[in-house]
Amino acid sequence: MPVQIDPDHRPRLRQTLAAEPADGRITLLDQLRIGRPIQLTQLGLEIVRRFDGASTLREVQATIARLCGGQIVPLEIFSSLIAALDEALLLESARFQEHIGGPIRKPSCIGCYDADPNRMRVQLTKLFTAPGGPGMPDFDQPRGSRRLRAALLPHMDYTRGNVTYGWGFKELVEQTDATVFVIVATSHYSPHRFTLTRQNFQSPLGVVETDQAYIDRIEREYGPGLFDDSLAHIPEHSIELEVVLLQFLLEGRRSFKIVPLLCGSYHDCVEAASRPGKTANIPKMISALRKAEGECGEKVCYLISGDLAHIGPKFGDPQRAEGPWLEASRKQDDAILAQLTKADPAGYFEVIAAEGDARRICGLPPTFLTLEAAQPSGGKVLHYQQYIHPQGHESVSFASAAFYE
C-alpha cells in the first residue's frame, strides 16, 4: 500500500539526474552513481520532472491534469513515485542526507571488486600473481637504503589495471612501514580544486579510519573551502580502489589511517601555460601538506592515485585509438615518465602543458601536488600499460612508480 503524502508536500529531485530512453520507457539515473536507476513511463517522467522543491503535489497534479486533457491523476500515483524515488536515493530528502552523511563513507565500487570478502581476496591476489605480475609482497624483505616517500598507482578498474596495481603496491608495502597514508587522488565529479572528507572508508574488509588530527592540521593551515562539496567523495573511485588494496595487504599486519584528498583539474594552469605552483591555492595546499606531515609524529607515505592518457571517441576525439596514434601517445607517455624518474614536478607539468593536455592526463593534479609536497629526490617507473578498446573506442594508459628521499 503506498505511503500517503501530504498534498502540500514539495518534493525535490536531485540535480545530478539524467533521463535516457530504454525499451519504450525512460530510465532515470544518477550521473554521480550515488542513487540507483529507476524506470519510468512517459507520464511518470512528466510528473517527476516537476518535482522542483517549489511546487506542491496539488500544483503538480493540476499541471499534469492539463497535459492529460483534464484527466486527474490520483495522488496515490504521486505517492508511489515519491516513495520509489526516495528509496532509490534520487530525491533531496532525509533518507539521502542520512546516506551521504554520518561518519562512514559507504563503498561505491562494488562490482569492480566482489562484495564477498573471501572472493575479493582471491580477486586481488591475481593483481600480483597473474602473468606479468610481480608476485605477492615479501614483508620480510629488507627495505632499501632510501626511504619511500610516495607511490604513483592507477585508479583504473582492477580488471584493466591488473598487474600494474600489483607492481606498485608490492613496492609500496615492502618499502615503507608508514602508519599514515596521504592519498592524493584525481577528482572526477567535483569542480573544486581540493576536497577533503572526514568520513571513514568502509569496504567488505571493514572500516579504515580517516586521520582527523591530520585533517585538522591541513585545514588550519590551508583555510576554508576544503569541505564545500559534500558529494565529491561519495561516488569517487580514485581513493576507494587504493584503500581496498591497502586493507587487503596490511590486514593482520599493522593498523593504518588515511588522509583522503581529492584534486580537481589544473586545466586553467595548462591553458595559461603557468606552472601550478604559481596559482594561489596550489602552493597553499603544498605548504599545508608539508606542515601537517611535519607535525604528525608518525611515519607518513603519500599515495598518488592517477592515470595517464585518455584518448579516442569516448573522450571526444574524432579518430579511433589505433595505429600510429597509439604509438605516438606511448612516446608522449615515455616523456612524462622520464620526468617522474627525476621526480621533477616542473618538468612533468611542462611536458603535459606543451601538448595542451590534449591527451587528458588525469593524474596531473595529484602527481604535481604530491611531488611538490613530498619533495622526493628521485623516482623509478615500475610498470606501464596502455589499455586499448578492441574497436578503438578508447585507450587509457597508466603506470605505477615509486619515489624516494
Side-chain angles (χ1 to χ4, degrees):
M1 181 175 179
V3 177
Q4 295 302 311
I5 295 181
D6 182 352
D8 292 322
H9 178 55
R10 302 172 190 267
R12 182 189 295 275
L13 279 182
R14 292 183 39 234
Q15 296 299 302
T16 60
L17 309 186
E20 295 183 355
D23 299 324
R25 295 171 70 86
I26 295 95
T27 299
L28 190 66
L29 49 85
D30 183 0
Q31 296 176 96
L32 292 184
R33 301 185 303 106
I34 300 172
R36 300 186 305 278
I38 66 170
Q39 285 200 325
L40 299 169
T41 63
Q42 186 62 48
L43 175 61
L45 179 63
E46 291 297 333
I47 292 173
V48 303
R49 63 191 290 264
R50 289 169 171 81
F51 290 170
D52 57 9
S55 304
T56 67
L57 288 183
R58 290 185 197 275
E59 291 167 339
V60 175
Q61 184 186 42
T63 300
I64 296 299
R66 288 193 293 273
L67 288 177
C68 295
Q71 181 180 350
I72 300 295
V73 177
L75 280 175
E76 287 78 8
I77 299 294
F78 293 80
S79 296
S80 296
L81 276 171
I82 289 170
L85 291 166
D86 197 28
E87 186 176 353
L89 301 175
L90 301 180
L91 287 180
E92 293 286 357
S93 67
R95 183 197 293 263
F96 177 70
Q97 290 304 318
E98 181 181 359
H99 178 82
I100 66 168
I104 302 296
R105 180 211 176 262
K106 301 173 179 65
S108 71
C109 296
I110 301 294
C112 175
Y113 55 82
D114 203 290
D116 176 82
N118 291 325
R119 290 197 295 268
M120 186 178 76
R121 291 185 183 98
V122 171
Q123 176 188 6
L124 297 181
T125 297
K126 292 177 182 176
L127 302 180
F128 300 85
T129 60
M136 291 299 291
D138 179 359
F139 288 91
D140 297 322
Q141 175 177 304
R143 294 192 175 91
S145 57
R146 293 191 299 169
R147 176 186 169 207
L148 184 74
R149 289 290 287 134
L152 167 67
L153 296 151
H155 56 235
M156 288 285 286
D157 58 273
Y158 293 147
T159 299
R160 294 184 293 175
N162 55 70
V163 297
T164 302
Y165 274 108
W167 281 97
F169 270 97
K170 178 179 169 67
E171 185 78 1
L172 177 69
V173 299
E174 286 181 349
Q175 298 302 325
T176 183
D177 56 356
T179 54
V180 177
F181 291 92
V182 180
I183 306 178
V184 187
T186 304
S187 181
H188 294 90
Y189 298 97
S190 175
H192 291 255
R193 183 82 80 187
F194 301 115
T195 309
L196 283 169
T197 181
R198 292 188 179 278
Q199 289 183 307
N200 302 315
F201 278 59
Q202 183 183 57
S203 86
L205 295 178
V207 175
V208 172
E209 188 177 344
T210 291
D211 192 325
Q212 303 298 323
Y214 209 110
I215 287 177
D216 286 343
R217 293 193 295 273
I218 293 174
E219 184 182 24
R220 185 166 58 246
E221 182 71 14
Y222 182 88
L226 295 174
F227 300 94
D228 285 355
D229 190 340
S230 61
L231 296 182
H233 282 265
I234 303 300
E236 184 58 68
H237 61 277
S238 62
I239 290 177
E240 179 178 333
L241 294 178
E242 317 301 1
V243 170
V244 167
L245 272 160
L246 283 173
Q247 285 181 291
F248 166 65
L249 293 170
L250 297 180
E251 64 177 343
R253 297 184 180 276
R254 69 175 183 266
S255 60
F256 65 94
K257 295 180 182 180
I258 62 169
V259 179
L261 174 63
L262 291 176
C263 296
S265 172
Y266 283 8
H267 180 71
D268 55 330
C269 302
V270 171
E271 204 168 49
S274 173
R275 193 177 301 170
K278 298 178 180 178
T279 302
N281 53 2
I282 298 174
K284 191 163 62 167
M285 178 56 75
I286 292 166
S287 174
L289 288 171
R290 289 177 184 171
K291 189 168 178 105
E293 181 182 1
E295 297 174 358
C296 180
E298 296 183 60
K299 292 181 180 178
V300 175
C301 186
Y302 287 86
L303 198 161
I304 307 164
S305 178
D307 295 327
L308 293 169
H310 298 66
I311 62 174
K314 178 178 177 179
F315 305 108
D317 292 316
Q319 69 266 49
R320 290 190 296 180
E322 59 186 6
W325 191 26
L326 283 175
E327 183 57 32
S329 184
R330 185 183 185 109
K331 287 180 179 177
Q332 280 297 102
D333 285 344
D334 287 343
I336 292 171
L337 296 175
Q339 299 302 320
L340 293 186
T341 62
K342 295 186 287 187
D344 179 5
Y348 167 80
F349 172 76
E350 285 162 9
V351 171
I352 297 170
E355 59 174 315
D357 196 21
R359 297 180 304 125
R360 309 168 190 90
I361 309 300
C362 81
L364 166 59
T367 304
F368 182 92
L369 182 73
T370 300
L371 292 180
E372 287 282 7
Q375 299 178 292
S377 63
K380 175 173 65 174
V381 176
L382 304 168
H383 199 264
Y384 169 88
Q385 281 195 77
Q386 193 178 46
Y387 166 76
I388 306 165
H389 186 272
Q391 282 76 49
H393 185 55
E394 64 169 317
S395 173
V396 179
S397 55
F398 45 94
S400 58
F403 302 96
Y404 298 89
E405 282 187 337

